[in-house]
Amino acid sequence: MIALLTAEETRRAEEAHEGSLDELMERAGRAVAELVLEQFPGRVAVVCGSGNNGGDGRVCARVLRERKRDVVLVEQDGRLGEPDVIVDALLGIGLHDAPRDDVAQLIERINSAGVPVVSVDVPSGVNASTGEVPGAVVDATATVTFGSPKVGLVVAPGRFRAGRVHVAPIGLAAGEHEHELVTAQILQEVPRKGPESTKYSAGSVLVVGGSPGLTGAPMLAALAAFRADAGYVMVGIPESTLPIFETRLLEAVKRPLPEDALGRLLPRAADAIVEAAERVDAVAIGPGLGRTDGTRDLVHVLLERLPQPVVLDADALHSLEPVARAAPTVMTPHAGELARLLGASARDIDAHRLAAVREAAVRYGATVLLKGADTLVAAPNDGLLVAAYGDSSLATAGTGDVLTGVIAAFLAKGMEARLAAAAGAVAHGIASQLVQPRVGLVASDLLTGIQRALAGEGWNPPLQ
C-alpha cells in the first residue's frame, strides 16, 4: 500500500518534520524545476499564488533561472505571455471551495494557452482531500507531488486533471493516514494452491444468476472464478437455460433452479441455493439475474440465510435494501447503480465519489467497491482503498461480471472482504493492460489476463 494524504494529514506531516518549512519548500520547488528541465524545453511561465504552493513555485523559478532557462514569474494579476510550458503554483492543497473569479479567470488562461502545464502538488482547483472539483480547474499535463500522493490525485474527477503524477521525495514522512493506494503487491496476499490442496480447499464458489438473453454474464463470472484459481465453481441458474450452460460452460457444476414464466429465478429457489451453498466458501449473486419482484425478493432471502461471504453485482443491486449479516458482503456497483442505491444522480456520484462510496458502506453495512478508473473500496470502519490500474478499455459489457467472479474466488480462499475486493480490482485492471491490442477488448479477453496477473506479470507501480 502507498499512503494517500488529505490536506490535513499533509499539514500534520509538515508540522512533525524536524527541519524547517523553508527547507521543504526548497526541495519541493527544486523537484518541480528538475522535471521541467528534464521533460519540457523552452520558455517557462511560473504562475504563483500567495500561499506555500506559490512559495514552491518561486523556488522553482529561481532554480530554472540558475540553470539558464528563460522564466517569467506570473502573479495572480499578471500576464502569461507566450510560454512553452506553464508551472501551476496557484492554489495547492488549501482549496475547499470554488476558486475566486479572478483566480478562475487565470486558470482559464492557463488552460487556453495550448502548452504543457506542470502542477505543483495538485492541479489548482482540485480538492486534495477528496478529488472533487468545485469550480475552475487546471488541466495538468503532469503533477509533481511531494512525499506522498494526495487523495485528490487518484480519485476522480481530480484524477483526470492531474496528468502524469510524479512523487518527489523531499524528506517528509507520511505519518498517520486514513486512505491508501493499492499496489500490485496485494496479489501476493492471494492464497495459492499448495501440495495438499484439493478442489474444495483451494476455494469453492457458487454463482447465482442468469436468465433468457443474459446467460453470458454468469458464465463469465464462473470462468473468472476459475481463472482466479478457485478449485470448484457451481452455477445456480434458471432450469430452462440449462442446455446453454451444459454446452458452453464445461468446467462448472450446474444447478437448475425454479423459474417464472419468463425464465427468471423465483424466491422459492432459495432453498435449493442455500442447500447447494453448503458445498462452497463464497457466493456471487447477480450476473444476468434479471430485475423482477421475484429476483429482488430472492436476493433479500439469500442475504438473510446464507452464512458464506457474498458478492452482489448487477441485477442483485437493483432495489436492494440493507440486510444485517454476520458474514461479509461485498457490493460492486458502478456510478449509476450506486446512484439508485443512494437516491442520487449518477452525476452526483461522479462529482463526489469518495463521499458516496463511504455513505454506501455505512448504509449497507458492507464493503462497497465503486467501479471506475479509480476503483474505490470502502468498508464501514476502515479507510478507503484506491485501485488505480484500470483504464478505458474496461468500458465494455461483461467486464463487471469478470470482476465479480475474481472477488468471489478471493473471498472463497479466505481473504478479508476489503482486501479481496481491492485485490480483485487490481488483478482486473492489470489483466486489461496485458491484453493486446487493448482497443476492442471484450470481457472474455480478460480471463487469461487474470491468470497472468496472478503469475506476476504487469506488476508496475500505479504512480511514478
Side-chain angles (χ1 to χ4, degrees):
M1 305 287 185
I2 296 173
L4 294 174
L5 300 190
T6 64
E8 181 58 34
E9 289 165 348
T10 300
R11 293 188 184 98
R12 290 202 297 266
E14 291 172 347
E15 291 170 358
H17 180 65
E18 293 183 357
S20 68
L21 181 60
D22 287 344
E23 173 190 275
L24 292 175
M25 195 173 292
E26 178 71 23
R27 293 173 182 169
R30 189 171 293 276
V32 178
E34 292 296 337
L35 180 73
V36 173
L37 289 165
E38 179 183 337
Q39 299 190 13
F40 300 99
R43 186 168 183 263
V44 185
V46 182
V47 185
C48 295
S50 57
N52 292 342
N53 199 244
D56 296 339
R58 291 178 180 85
V59 171
C60 172
R62 191 201 77 226
V63 172
L64 289 172
R65 284 170 176 156
E66 291 171 353
R67 302 283 287 274
K68 310 305 181 185
R69 276 293 186 93
D70 184 4
V71 178
V72 58
L73 191 63
V74 182
E75 304 295 339
Q76 290 187 13
D77 56 352
R79 293 193 165 278
L80 294 176
E82 297 183 356
D84 298 299
V85 59
I86 297 170
V87 173
D88 157 37
L90 263 175
L91 299 178
I93 66 172
L95 177 93
H96 296 290
D97 303 314
R100 301 190 316 265
D101 288 346
D102 59 332
V103 177
Q105 291 170 10
L106 182 52
I107 288 173
E108 180 56 34
R109 294 204 298 275
I110 291 172
N111 290 338
S112 299
V115 299
V117 179
V118 178
S119 286
V120 178
D121 221 2
V122 295
S124 293
V126 171
N127 185 313
S129 300
T130 66
E132 295 178 7
V133 175
V137 60
V138 166
D139 284 314
T141 309
T143 298
V144 182
T145 195
F146 311 119
S148 299
K150 311 306 177 286
V151 175
L153 296 176
V154 296
V155 174
R159 169 190 173 96
F160 300 121
R161 304 296 187 172
R164 300 187 307 275
V165 177
H166 303 261
V167 182
I170 61 171
L172 194 63
E176 292 186 4
H177 56 277
E178 186 177 2
H179 309 311
E180 294 179 306
L181 180 66
V182 184
T183 71
Q185 279 64 37
I186 194 174
L187 299 182
Q188 292 176 335
E189 303 302 314
V190 178
R192 301 298 203 268
K193 293 173 182 172
E196 297 181 2
S197 295
T198 69
K199 63 183 178 182
Y200 296 110
S201 65
S204 51
V205 174
L206 169 62
V207 178
V208 178
S211 56
L214 296 173
T215 55
M219 288 188 195
L220 284 169
L223 289 170
F226 272 127
R227 296 301 190 187
D229 208 32
Y232 176 91
V233 179
M234 181 189 305
V235 290
I237 52 175
E239 186 173 12
S240 63
T241 66
L242 180 60
I244 299 171
F245 283 87
E246 290 283 31
T247 303
R248 300 296 302 275
L249 186 63
L250 303 181
E251 298 87 352
V253 175
K254 293 84 178 175
R255 183 67 181 262
L257 300 168
E259 61 185 39
D260 64 16
L262 297 176
R264 291 168 178 160
L265 293 178
L266 289 167
R268 61 186 174 88
D271 288 342
I273 293 170
V274 171
E275 178 188 351
E278 293 176 358
R279 302 184 66 181
V280 304
D281 302 304
V283 181
I285 307 174
L289 186 65
R291 299 176 183 176
T292 66
D293 290 345
T295 55
R296 179 199 62 203
D297 293 344
L298 173 62
V299 171
H300 189 88
V301 170
L302 290 177
L303 288 176
E304 290 183 327
R305 295 181 59 185
L306 287 171
Q308 297 89 348
V310 169
V311 186
L312 298 175
D313 185 35
D315 294 336
L317 298 172
H318 188 71
S319 302
L320 182 68
E321 295 293 334
V323 176
R325 303 185 71 238
T329 304
V330 178
M331 300 164 56
T332 62
H334 55 58
E337 290 165 337
L338 188 58
R340 286 192 294 272
L341 292 171
L342 296 180
S345 69
R347 179 176 296 180
D348 288 338
I349 302 300
D350 287 336
H352 309 286
R353 285 174 62 81
L354 189 150
V357 73
R358 279 174 153 176
E359 179 184 348
V362 172
R363 179 179 298 188
Y364 286 87
T367 295
V368 180
L369 180 152
L370 177 56
K371 298 171 186 173
D374 59 327
T375 296
L376 309 183
V377 179
N381 299 309
D382 287 298
L384 190 81
L385 298 180
V386 183
Y389 285 91
D391 61 24
S392 59
S393 68
L394 289 171
T396 188
T399 57
D401 303 309
V402 172
L403 177 60
T404 295
V406 174
I407 295 173
F410 291 172
L411 286 171
K413 289 174 174 291
M415 292 188 76
E416 183 268 331
R418 190 174 70 126
L419 292 182
V426 168
H428 193 245
I430 292 175
S432 73
Q433 297 174 8
L434 293 172
V435 172
Q436 297 296 333
R438 292 160 73 185
V439 175
L441 177 148
V442 296
S444 57
D445 293 335
L446 296 173
L447 297 173
T448 55
I450 297 293
Q451 288 179 293
R452 294 171 63 189
L454 288 174
E457 293 187 48
W459 286 22
N460 301 313
L463 296 174
Q464 296 186 23

